[in-house]
Amino acid sequence: MDQGGSTRSAGTASALFRLCKPGIVAAVLLAGFTGMVLGGRGWPDGKTGFICLCALFLSAAGSAIINGVLDAPLDIRMARLMKRSAALEAVGRKRALLIAIAGIGMALFIALHFFGPLVSLLIVAAVISYTLFYTLHFKRRSPSGAVPGGIPGALPVLIGYAAVAGTIRLDGIILFVLMILWQPPHFWSLVLGYRDDYERAGLPILPAVHGGKFTGILIFIYATALIPASLSLWLFGYCSVYYGFAALACGIAFLGACCQLLKDTRRGPMVFSASILYFMLLFSAIVIDICFIQGRLS
């Protein structure tokens, strides 16, 4: 056995895994699964859930790789992304692009075959809005690029929802809006910790253009808006009061973390971690409420 060849293959696989942005893909899968639970009013059946998550994984990973290829000239200037740049060099841009296109193509085939045109169109919208509109336009040209950039990150909830419901209703739109509101403070708090990186890359990201104090105020405003948005799932009767208490507690805790930015913008990394925890807890609360609590109450 060629041990050197095996080592190279393992290294390439590891590099490809990094290019897929596993943290973002994991968030996409959680968002899509929550959309399935909300759309189907319960735990999705094994086949539907597995197939939908496969399509989401392939499309999200493929989009992330394309993003890495397109952003390669910028990423190489950023210390935070040195490992990603090295991973792209190890895989090769052409090979990475071919793998990404193949993955997205498989995702669309799966979606069209099993779920129909609506889910397929939503996947196309997510891929195009992330790789072209956000990566090549908004990110490079607008300090507020994270706002429309939240659309591709929010579409997975509608993809999961439509996969089981066959349509999109008000509760799916509420979940979509929640994701839209969550993503700007999530991203801006990350940038606050790496503002020098983004300035070296020449990107007009909000904290680099308007400063940390202004960014902290906007993050606080978005975090405030998340509270009534999350509670609307309870107010409109889609989730129980137990979810309402959980959403309120998560929202207040996250808002408290964002308050720290008004005092010290160097706490951006702490708020970034808090935003991830908020997202995980809130979406888990939706799943638990619909699948377990409401089932017992009914």
Side-chain angles (χ1 to χ4, degrees), residues 90-294:
V91 175
R93 294 191 188 186
K94 289 184 179 179
R95 186 196 297 180
L97 196 56
L98 287 173
I99 292 172
I101 293 172
I104 293 169
M106 289 176 62
L108 289 173
F109 173 79
I110 291 170
L112 191 59
H113 181 72
F114 289 99
F115 304 118
L118 176 57
V119 173
S120 303
L121 287 173
L122 289 170
I123 289 177
V124 169
V127 171
I128 291 178
S129 59
Y130 182 56
T131 60
L132 299 182
F133 295 151
Y134 172 67
T135 300
L136 292 180
H137 180 71
F138 292 113
K139 182 178 179 179
R140 287 163 162 79
R141 290 174 172 81
S142 173
S144 303
V147 178
I151 294 174
L155 282 171
V157 301
L158 297 184
I159 293 169
Y161 192 103
V164 298
T167 187
I168 297 171
R169 297 184 288 263
L170 178 60
D171 51 343
I173 294 173
I174 291 172
L175 199 60
F176 176 78
V177 171
L178 264 174
M179 285 292 290
I180 291 285
L181 291 173
W182 170 77
Q183 286 174 102
H186 170 72
F187 177 67
W188 288 331
S189 60
L190 171 68
V191 176
L192 283 173
Y194 297 96
R195 191 160 68 180
D196 291 344
D197 266 4
Y198 286 92
E199 289 176 347
R200 277 195 299 271
L203 291 170
I205 305 298
L206 185 72
V209 175
H210 295 294
K213 185 175 181 180
F214 180 76
T215 303
I217 293 172
L218 279 187
I219 288 174
F220 180 81
I221 292 172
Y222 270 89
T224 303
L226 277 169
I227 295 177
S230 62
L231 288 175
S232 62
L233 283 173
W234 162 60
L235 293 172
F236 285 104
Y238 298 111
C239 291
S240 74
V241 67
Y242 297 101
Y243 160 80
F245 283 126
L248 183 61
C250 290
I252 291 174
F254 182 48
L255 186 63
C258 293
C259 280
Q260 301 301 310
L261 286 177
L262 301 178
K263 303 174 184 177
D264 186 357
T265 57
R266 292 174 297 180
R267 296 182 180 179
M270 180 271 291
V271 175
F272 175 73
S273 298
S275 72
I276 296 174
L277 184 61
Y278 171 81
F279 166 73
M280 293 174 60
L281 290 176
L282 184 70
F283 276 56
S284 296
I286 294 171
V287 172
I288 292 170
D289 183 72
I290 292 176
C291 293
F292 302 105
I293 295 177
Q294 290 192 43

